[in-house]
């Protein structure tokens, strides 16, 4: 019987991404996510069955070809949605990218750690890992998913010494207390492989999408953090010797 080619369900592409990893990057936003982060600015990626594209890894690589010289000091990032919901596709895409000498990065919430995911990580140069809150109860309230799988994922990356940037969304009323940031920084400082923490201030730029999709936007009354609170958070990591964006 003929083997079906692996395809990925994809929401969209960005040819000149500059915020999802080092250098200029081709960003593939994968469709589908099991989390329901209250602040998510990509709710249109939630449903795996609403992909704009269904492409093979080779077809994605071909989309990069036109701009390849720009990716020389950058590479490819798969984001989402949750890219590791489709690990076989990511594994094959990264395998062929590595064969072309392209730097590979995954932006993930780190909630899956099956064999396919581990194999995809074997072809990954950098993980951008969102550890959304260090308190299990608040994590559940904020994302609708438990924290422990993400901690297990972070510890696996650390054991394997896979270079990682940790991302932390600073959400007033959820993740911005000094105590929570201290505990988060404490966890990060125990990992062997983290080269940077990125503090991402909460914003409401995706709220219009919720209206369009007929979904409730729970954080409409939440105000983005002040410059002072952002700097305060950064200093907590710096005081533990961690580089911050
Ligand atoms: S994990 Fe990312 S894509 Fe999924 S709901 Fe949270 S912010 Fe949105």
């Amino acid at each position: 019987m003929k083997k079906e080619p692996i395809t990925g369900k994809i929401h969209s592409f960005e040819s000149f991404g500059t915020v999802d990893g080092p250098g200029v990057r081709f960003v593939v936003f994968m469709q589908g996510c099991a989390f329901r982060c209250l602040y998510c600015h990509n709710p249109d990626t939630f449903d795996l069955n609403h992909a704009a594209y269904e492409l093979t890894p080779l077809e994605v690589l071909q989309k990069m070809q036109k701009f390849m010289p720009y990716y020389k000091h950058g590479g490819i990032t798969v984001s989402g949605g949750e890219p590791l919901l489709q690990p076989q596709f990511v594994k094959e895409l990264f395998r062929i990218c590595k064969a072309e000498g392209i730097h590979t990065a995954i932006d993930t919430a780190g909630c899956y750690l099956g064999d396919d995911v581990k194999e995809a990580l074997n072809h990954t140069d950098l993980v951008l890992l969102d550890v959304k809150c260090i308190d299990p109860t608040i994590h559940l309230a904020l994302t609708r998913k438990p924290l422990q799988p993400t901690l297990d994922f972070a510890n696996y990356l650390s054991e394997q010494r896979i270079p990682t940037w940790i991302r932390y969304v600073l959400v007033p009323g959820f993740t911005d207390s000094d105590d929570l940031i201290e505990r988060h920084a404490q966890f990060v400082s125990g990992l062997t492989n983290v080269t940077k923490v990125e503090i991402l201030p909460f914003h409401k730029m995706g709220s219009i999408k919720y209206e369009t999709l007929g979904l409730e936007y729970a954080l409409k009354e939440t105000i983005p953090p002040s410059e002072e609170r952002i700097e305060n958070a950064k200093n907590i990591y710096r005081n533990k010797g961690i580089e911050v964006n």
Side-chain angles (χ1 to χ4, degrees):
M1 205 166 74
K2 198 171 161 229
K3 207 174 154 197
E4 290 290 319
I6 295 167
T7 57
K9 294 179 196 276
I10 296 166
H11 174 272
S12 55
F13 300 96
E14 187 177 351
S15 300
F16 294 98
T18 55
V19 295
D20 293 306
V24 175
R25 308 192 71 83
F26 186 75
V27 186
V28 184
F29 294 95
M30 304 297 295
Q31 189 71 25
C33 186
F35 276 45
R36 289 293 178 268
C37 303
L38 298 182
Y39 53 75
C40 181
H41 56 263
N42 291 327
D44 42 344
T45 65
F46 287 168
D47 187 346
L48 185 63
N49 295 315
H50 280 160
Y53 307 88
E54 185 151 355
L55 300 176
T56 65
L58 196 56
E59 286 167 333
V60 172
L61 183 64
Q62 283 161 354
K63 275 185 167 287
M64 293 180 72
Q65 294 296 349
K66 192 159 68 162
F67 306 112
M68 204 57 95
Y70 293 95
Y71 307 131
K72 200 168 159 212
H73 301 295
I76 186 171
T77 298
V78 288
S79 182
E82 172 50 66
L84 292 179
L85 204 54
Q86 303 181 70
Q88 290 184 333
F89 171 80
V90 175
K91 176 177 72 175
E92 182 56 16
L93 175 62
F94 279 11
R95 190 189 67 74
I96 60 175
C97 284
K98 291 304 300 169
E100 296 286 323
I102 299 167
H103 181 276
T104 57
I106 299 181
D107 176 14
T108 177
C111 47
Y112 305 107
L113 197 50
D115 289 344
D116 282 335
V117 169
K118 288 178 180 173
E119 284 177 40
L121 290 171
N122 287 340
H123 302 289
T124 303
D125 292 311
L126 177 69
V127 178
L128 313 176
L129 177 63
D130 302 282
V131 182
K132 293 165 188 289
C133 184
I134 203 65
D135 181 277
T137 306
I138 300 173
H139 188 280
L140 191 61
L142 190 64
T143 70
R144 307 282 186 259
K145 288 288 168 188
L147 168 65
Q148 193 58 47
T150 300
L151 299 185
D152 294 344
F153 191 93
N155 286 323
Y156 177 79
L157 297 178
S158 179
E159 281 159 28
Q160 300 297 313
R161 303 204 175 243
I162 299 171
T164 297
W165 295 357
I166 298 288
R167 293 182 142 180
Y168 190 68
V169 182
L170 202 61
V171 191
F174 282 92
T175 64
D176 69 334
S177 75
D178 286 9
D179 172 59
L180 283 175
I181 302 166
E182 279 281 354
R183 285 159 57 198
H184 191 272
Q186 189 64 36
F187 173 73
V188 171
S189 68
L191 302 171
T192 62
N193 56 328
V194 174
T195 52
K196 185 158 80 165
V197 167
E198 290 189 316
I199 305 286
L200 309 174
F202 162 74
H203 62 73
K204 296 188 200 179
M205 282 188 284
S207 60
I208 191 78
K209 292 185 187 173
Y210 285 77
E211 274 178 42
T212 311
L213 293 165
L215 299 172
E216 192 200 347
Y217 186 61
L219 299 185
K220 53 180 173 288
E221 305 297 336
T222 303
I223 295 166
S226 64
E227 283 302 322
E228 193 187 343
R229 291 302 298 165
I230 297 167
E231 202 50 36
N232 171 70
K234 290 181 178 181
N235 284 333
I236 292 174
Y237 292 94
R238 288 186 186 121
N239 289 342
K240 294 198 182 324
I242 301 165
E243 191 187 322
V244 188
N245 62 326

